[in-house]
Amino acid sequence: MALGDSAVSNRQSVASALASAFLAGPWTYEGMVERGAHVVGGRAPWLLAVVRGIRRFFPHPPVARMELLTELLATRPALIKACRNPAVPVHLHRWLIPEPSMGQRPWPVPELSTQAEVARWLGVTDAQLGWLADGSGFERTSRPGQWRRYRYVWIPKRAGGKRLLEQPGVDLGRLQRQVLHGLLDLIPPHDAARGFVRGRGVRDFAEPHVGQAVVVHMDLEDFFHSVRPSKVWGVFRAAGYPDSVTEVLAGLCTNRTPGTVVEEAPRATHLGEQKARWRMTRRLTARHLPQGAPTSPALANLAAYRLDVRLSALAAALGARYTRYADDLAFSGGASLLQRPLRLVRCVAAIVREEGFAIRADKTRVMHQGQQQRLAGVVVNAHPTVPREDYERLKAVLHLCRTRGPTSQNTEGHHDFRAHLLGRIAWVSHLHPSRGARLRATFDRITWD
């Protein structure tokens, strides 16, 4: 098969064929040259130079990185020169297909070398897997009905505005839960990640910052939606999966929101909101982690691993501490940080931007010891506790429940008001046991119907 007229297209085709041939046998100089010669019809001098260059890049075969190998081959000067030479055109004579296999597995994840093995592991047919992974991008142009993989609901935020909840259908949700518990749970996040991690919680996020001279809180904008597809693919590739398996696993865990749903995004009232809405709609129309999928929190943590590494190193260099709870970033330190907290803010914003995320500047707070230092609803000035006003408000509600009856205080219409109050008391007890005990004593004196 003769190559076409476009030099770039020619080079990409030859690079792809050579990558496949190189991985189809022993990763030795002679073996790679011999298989490459079968592909291009002879041991051309440029082929020898290409093999020498690739072996310097990869001393060992990149069995799960066919795409990366292809890109590197396409940039080799010897191959570029050969594909540009009209006097001796490069022909592809045959295509050698390597046996699919996983790369090195740093964690005990399931061994899945092909999409067919993924389908068997998930208990679906190849056709069902292809549909639910949405490799064709059908969801982006779909209309409401049975063919959509997700149900879309715009829900109000506590601080104003709305966010999009993307709830997977029954079949897709089942597959996502299996990917979560059978694969993602086996990959450890960075130690600084305290949210959506088994055995860690809000207290673990806030406690390292207790009693510090200065506490800095920063917030990531549209955290789930900002995770780029390349970072999701990077998680599965780091686990050792080949490109074909990575593609289908990432497809199961990401989504492109239908245009009709994106158009329903709340309209902005001022310039700042207009810019934020524009950024949000762009993220929704691209591949992103859907807020509502069970895999999204774990994948977001893993995709932010490099961000956590860099922010932890920055904090250590400035004599500070760093933790993250989902999209909440917290830093704290003593006198050295107290002198230049804005330097930390500027450096964090730069690192966040380089990692593909964005800081919500309106939520950045620098809190000194003389004021209330609060992280994720936890006051950390002296010890982790709930804000005094929240405690007093709950104390008053319980007193009125005891004296006037619980129905009179269920102003928000909770279906199970008793369980709601117990949950709030448990949260106070978790942070401040003695206050929690006093609240529970009042609760036990309430007469319930």
Side-chain angles (χ1 to χ4, degrees):
M1 178 181 66
L3 298 180
D5 296 331
S6 170
V8 174
S9 177
N10 293 352
R11 189 167 74 250
Q12 288 292 339
S13 298
V14 174
S16 181
L18 288 176
S20 181
F22 291 162
L23 293 174
W27 195 258
T28 62
Y29 178 80
E30 282 301 325
M32 294 169 68
V33 170
E34 180 181 353
R35 293 191 299 279
H38 279 297
V39 167
V40 298
R43 294 169 65 101
W46 62 264
L47 177 61
L48 310 182
V50 166
V51 172
R52 280 195 296 269
I54 285 300
R55 284 180 55 79
R56 283 196 292 269
F57 272 103
F58 294 111
H60 305 287
V63 291
R65 303 304 304 276
M66 174 81 79
E67 185 178 313
L68 176 60
L69 179 58
T70 299
E71 291 302 314
L72 284 174
L73 281 166
T75 63
R76 297 303 88 210
L79 181 57
I80 294 173
K81 184 176 180 181
C83 290
R84 286 177 176 173
N85 185 2
V88 187
V90 179
H91 294 268
L92 292 180
H93 290 258
R94 57 180 57 85
W95 200 291
L96 302 179
I97 306 297
E99 288 291 328
S101 60
M102 287 191 66
Q104 183 179 358
R105 288 189 298 165
W107 310 288
V109 297
E111 187 166 353
L112 306 169
S113 299
T114 65
Q115 292 189 6
E117 291 180 3
V118 176
R120 285 195 294 272
W121 179 63
L122 293 172
V124 295
T125 66
D126 292 347
Q128 288 173 321
L129 178 63
W131 170 257
L132 293 172
D134 195 31
S136 62
F138 175 81
E139 185 83 6
R140 175 72 181 90
T141 57
S142 66
R143 296 190 177 277
Q146 61 180 336
W147 299 114
R148 280 190 174 175
R149 302 182 306 149
Y150 288 87
R151 186 169 69 90
Y152 302 94
V153 182
W154 288 97
I155 58 176
K157 296 181 181 179
R158 182 177 301 178
K162 291 185 178 181
R163 65 163 54 92
L164 180 63
L165 183 63
E166 302 174 87
Q167 298 174 306
V170 174
D171 293 335
L172 180 57
R174 179 182 67 80
L175 267 57
Q176 288 175 342
R177 284 188 290 274
Q178 185 163 341
V179 172
L180 171 64
H181 299 305
L183 196 162
L184 296 176
D185 281 351
L186 302 175
I187 306 176
H190 193 275
D191 183 62
R194 305 298 169 90
F196 311 123
V197 181
R198 184 175 299 174
R200 305 178 194 173
V202 173
R203 180 171 185 142
D204 303 285
F205 165 67
E207 199 161 32
H209 308 287
V210 169
Q212 297 297 309
V214 61
V215 176
V216 178
H217 170 265
M218 304 178 74
D219 189 83
L220 298 177
E221 181 182 73
D222 292 337
F223 180 44
F224 285 178
H225 301 158
S226 298
V227 175
R228 294 173 177 173
S230 59
K231 289 186 176 292
V232 177
W233 295 332
V235 170
F236 293 116
R237 283 171 174 161
Y241 291 111
D243 290 340
S244 61
V245 172
T246 290
E247 181 181 5
V248 73
L249 290 174
L252 289 173
C253 301
T254 59
N255 186 37
R256 295 184 67 192
T257 308
T260 53
V261 175
V262 176
E263 291 172 0
E264 296 172 5
R267 298 297 170 182
T269 57
H270 56 78
L271 182 60
E273 287 185 354
Q274 289 175 356
K275 292 181 177 179
R277 183 185 188 277
W278 179 80
R279 291 192 297 269
M280 177 184 66
T281 55
R282 287 197 63 187
R283 290 164 182 156
L284 289 174
T285 54
R287 282 273 178 187
H288 62 272
L289 296 180
Q291 188 164 354
T295 47
S296 292
L299 271 173
N301 270 343
L302 297 174
Y305 190 93
R306 178 182 160 91
L307 173 68
D308 290 334
V309 168
R310 295 185 66 184
L311 293 182
S312 295
L314 172 67
L318 297 177
R321 302 175 181 181
Y322 163 68
T323 57
R324 178 177 60 81
Y325 192 94
D327 55 357
D328 289 324
L329 313 179
F331 301 85
S332 65
S336 59
L337 183 61
L338 182 62
Q339 294 173 1
R340 291 187 292 180
L342 295 183
R343 178 190 177 194
L344 170 72
V345 171
R346 288 193 298 269
C347 291
V348 169
I351 291 173
V352 166
R353 186 168 56 251
E354 290 170 5
E355 292 300 317
F357 299 97
I359 290 291
R360 286 195 58 177
D362 60 320
K363 286 197 170 184
T364 297
R365 291 179 293 137
V366 178
M367 299 166 284
H368 299 89
Q369 216 166 29
Q371 65 187 117
Q372 188 182 78
Q373 299 169 323
R374 186 189 300 196
L375 295 171
V378 179
V379 177
V380 296
N381 290 71
H383 51 78
T385 187
V386 295
R388 181 77 186 187
E389 58 271 24
D390 291 353
Y391 168 73
E392 294 294 346
R393 190 179 301 115
L394 179 55
K395 179 181 175 182
V397 168
L398 293 173
H399 172 74
L400 291 172
C401 285
R402 184 178 65 83
T403 57
R404 300 182 183 179
T407 303
S408 67
Q409 301 306 306
N410 188 13
T411 57
E412 296 180 356
H414 293 284
H415 177 69
D416 190 341
F417 189 48
R418 187 176 189 275
H420 169 74
L421 292 177
L422 283 173
R424 293 177 63 182
I425 293 171
W427 171 238
V428 175
S429 300
H430 178 62
L431 297 174
H432 201 302
S434 60
R435 283 185 176 178
R438 289 194 290 271
L439 294 175
R440 182 57 196 250
T442 304
F443 176 88
D444 290 340
R445 297 169 63 189
I446 298 174
T447 301
W448 296 88
D449 294 336

